[in-house]
Amino acid sequence: MKGIEDYIITIPDFPEEGVMFRDVTSVLQDEDGFRLAVDLMQKKLEGLEFDVIAGAESRGFFFAAPLAYNLHKPFVPVRKKGKLPRETVSIRYELEYDVAELEIHRDAIKPGQKVVLIDDLIATGGTNEAMIKLVESLGGEVIKAVFLMELAGLHGRERLKGYDVDAVITYP
Ligand code: PRP
Ligand code: HPA
């Protein structure tokens, strides 16, 4: 039987020289790979009591939506600036060479709700840190963050100290 690592194609020197790019689309485009990825992420949530799943645009949606569907929880999209039509809260955060802004609908999370964060990948942890701040600004409690892939060399976990962070597959 194939493991999840067998479905992830690594592209050397993308998007720039020296980067080993772990391509999530190679998992998605295989029906067994996609199912295995969702199942393995879902295992990380076994026995956990929570209210809401929040996922990061865009690649986080690939997994957050099926997990929310399977577990019969609300799915809250955290989107890039200017996409959400109702009242939002937003946060600016640093990318490697740029700044970005993420938004969440103000009514998407109620004070005291327990929230699980989902994304395909953690690199520097900047995206997830921004999501945590958004959820907490609405009074939600982030009880776990689950990723399909972790790029350990970029030390994202250190940025999320004190939070329960879990990944299905960790690359050095
Ligand atoms: C990627 C990925 C994560 C984030 C991880 O998204 O899907 O959300 O980067 O990087 P970080 O840990 O350094 O923040 P990206 O911002 O490229 O957007 P996309 O999902 O729309 O491709
Ligand atoms: N794969 C996908 N997204 C990424 C990567 C990667 O290796 N590094 C930073 N963002």
Side-chain angles (χ1 to χ4, degrees):
M1 206 184 115
K2 284 166 83 171
I4 191 67
E5 63 281 1
D6 300 317
Y7 294 99
I8 300 168
I9 296 177
T10 299
I11 297 98
D13 300 322
F14 181 88
E16 55 191 57
E17 222 177 294
V19 175
M20 296 287 280
F21 192 83
R22 317 293 176 176
D23 180 18
V24 72
T25 70
S26 57
V27 177
L28 301 171
Q29 72 185 33
D30 184 293
E31 64 272 39
D32 296 324
F34 189 19
R35 179 173 290 196
L36 182 61
V38 173
D39 289 350
L40 292 174
M41 291 177 85
Q42 193 165 317
K43 266 208 166 68
K44 303 287 190 189
L45 299 175
E46 248 167 36
L48 196 69
E49 295 213 352
F50 63 95
D51 304 300
V52 176
I53 287 185
E57 183 175 356
S58 325
R59 292 179 250 162
F61 294 176
F62 303 150
F63 302 104
L67 287 169
Y69 180 88
N70 282 349
L71 297 170
H72 198 204
K73 300 290 182 189
F75 164 49
V76 171
V78 175
R79 297 212 61 183
K80 289 168 183 167
K81 187 183 167 54
K83 303 282 185 181
L84 292 172
R86 294 181 289 106
E87 195 186 341
T88 58
V89 291
S90 63
I91 185 166
R92 280 166 70 82
Y93 66 106
E94 306 268 327
L95 297 176
E96 214 171 337
Y97 307 109
D98 205 358
V99 287
E101 200 160 340
L102 285 177
E103 294 183 332
I104 190 170
H105 273 139
R106 190 177 280 281
D107 66 2
I109 289 164
K110 310 280 178 291
Q113 281 191 314
K114 291 183 183 349
V115 181
V116 167
L117 304 182
I118 298 289
D119 209 342
D120 70 320
L121 176 134
I122 177 168
T124 66
T127 303
N128 211 254
E129 183 184 42
M131 289 178 74
I132 290 171
K133 287 182 179 159
L134 283 177
V135 167
E136 290 181 347
S137 76
L138 296 176
E141 183 192 353
V142 173
I143 59 162
K144 189 159 182 155
V146 178
F147 304 89
L148 180 64
M149 299 181 270
E150 174 180 10
L151 306 183
L154 295 175
H155 308 293
R157 252 175 215 271
E158 285 165 27
R159 213 151 160 177
L160 309 178
K161 263 205 186 97
Y163 292 91
D164 181 357
V165 173
D166 209 345
V168 170
I169 179 165
T170 299
Y171 292 96

